Amino acid sequence: MSEKAEYLTTVSADESYDQLPDEETVQATVESLEARGFDVVVVDTAEEARDELVDAIPAGASVMNGHSTTLEEIGFVDHLNGDGHDWENLAGQVWEIDDDAERHQFRREAQAADYFLGSVNAIAETGELVAADASGSRVGAYPFAAGNLLLVSGVNKIVDDLDAALDRVEEFVFPLEDARAQDAYGAGSVVAKQLIYRQENEAGRTTVVLVRDDLGY
């Protein structure tokens, strides 16, 4: 049983916001995202998604990621923390710092990595991306700081429009993330900092890897 499935046995969340769409909806979403300046790659499996991310990052690049269940599920986090690449793993360096203040500052500076990886909480069929966070350490790199942004998401996060995307965060994502935070950190979460990513104006900077699978929250 997946982590999400386990939480859904004890947490009340509106699962209507977490359905696999038909192919027509997926293609319409791709067209909307591309019209807003995002590069889009569609793959069938988690393994293909991981390979797309790995292939997109050149040797010698500095790499940072925000917490993402999706990145964990596709195996990218394990790859980043392993020895099978020639990148500068900023995410790994964070936890080698003992001093809290120094670690916090390094995390802030790592937002400007050559490649920052993460996910989003909802994708509108009309092309907007929505991502929420408690501290902002996950979404801070998205709008500007990172040189290149790679976002991976299951198609289960696609909803009709921006209003539905915002509702998905509140009605489905937050209850599950709050439960995960309780388990991971001993304290609940909060939708404190929310990004609506309407358009990418820098050609080639932001790539969305869509997976035809149920991944993440």
Side-chain angles (χ1 to χ4, degrees):
M1 182 180 293
S2 71
E3 180 183 82
K4 179 168 67 176
E6 291 180 5
Y7 284 134
L8 285 172
T9 64
T10 58
V11 171
S12 177
D14 188 344
E15 295 183 59
S16 68
Y17 288 107
D18 198 52
Q19 304 299 313
L20 293 177
D22 59 29
E23 187 60 23
E24 181 179 357
T25 299
V26 173
Q27 292 306 315
T29 304
V30 170
E31 292 175 7
S32 295
L33 289 167
E34 291 178 338
R36 291 176 179 270
F38 301 106
D39 292 342
V40 184
V41 177
V42 183
V43 298
D44 291 326
T45 68
E47 291 77 13
E48 290 173 331
R50 181 197 61 222
D51 291 345
E52 284 288 341
L53 298 179
V54 170
D55 291 344
I57 305 172
S62 61
V63 179
M64 182 65 180
N65 67 283
H67 175 265
S68 165
T69 299
T70 304
L71 285 178
E72 293 173 348
E73 289 175 334
I74 68 172
F76 181 82
V77 174
D78 286 341
H79 183 82
L80 178 60
N81 291 328
D83 299 323
H85 60 77
D86 296 319
W87 311 325
E88 181 184 5
N89 179 7
L90 300 182
Q93 293 176 36
V94 167
W95 303 111
E96 294 175 356
I97 301 172
D98 293 330
D99 182 80
D100 289 344
E102 289 182 12
R103 184 169 60 250
H104 183 77
Q105 181 61 28
F106 186 85
R107 291 181 71 190
R108 189 182 298 276
E109 294 169 357
Q111 300 288 302
D114 295 331
Y115 285 80
F116 194 98
L117 292 96
S119 187
V120 293
N121 299 119
I123 301 173
E125 188 178 340
T126 46
E128 300 93 342
L129 306 173
V130 174
D133 200 8
S135 68
S137 63
R138 183 173 73 105
V139 302
Y142 289 14
F144 180 76
N148 296 274
L149 182 63
L150 300 174
L151 301 173
V152 61
S153 172
V155 296
N156 54 299
K157 297 182 182 180
I158 295 175
V159 294
D160 290 342
D161 53 27
L162 178 57
D163 286 342
L166 294 170
D167 288 342
R168 186 181 193 275
V169 173
E170 299 288 347
E171 304 299 328
F172 182 76
V173 178
F174 173 70
L176 296 172
E177 175 58 20
D178 186 56
R180 187 199 71 82
Q182 289 281 2
D183 287 345
Y185 314 124
S189 189
V190 62
V191 181
K193 300 178 183 180
Q194 186 162 269
L195 172 68
I196 300 175
Y197 203 165
R198 297 176 185 269
Q199 186 166 321
E200 176 55 79
N201 295 321
E202 184 179 341
R205 175 182 179 266
T206 299
T207 299
V208 179
V209 178
L210 281 177
V211 191
R212 293 188 180 94
D213 200 354
D214 182 341
L215 295 170
Y217 295 172

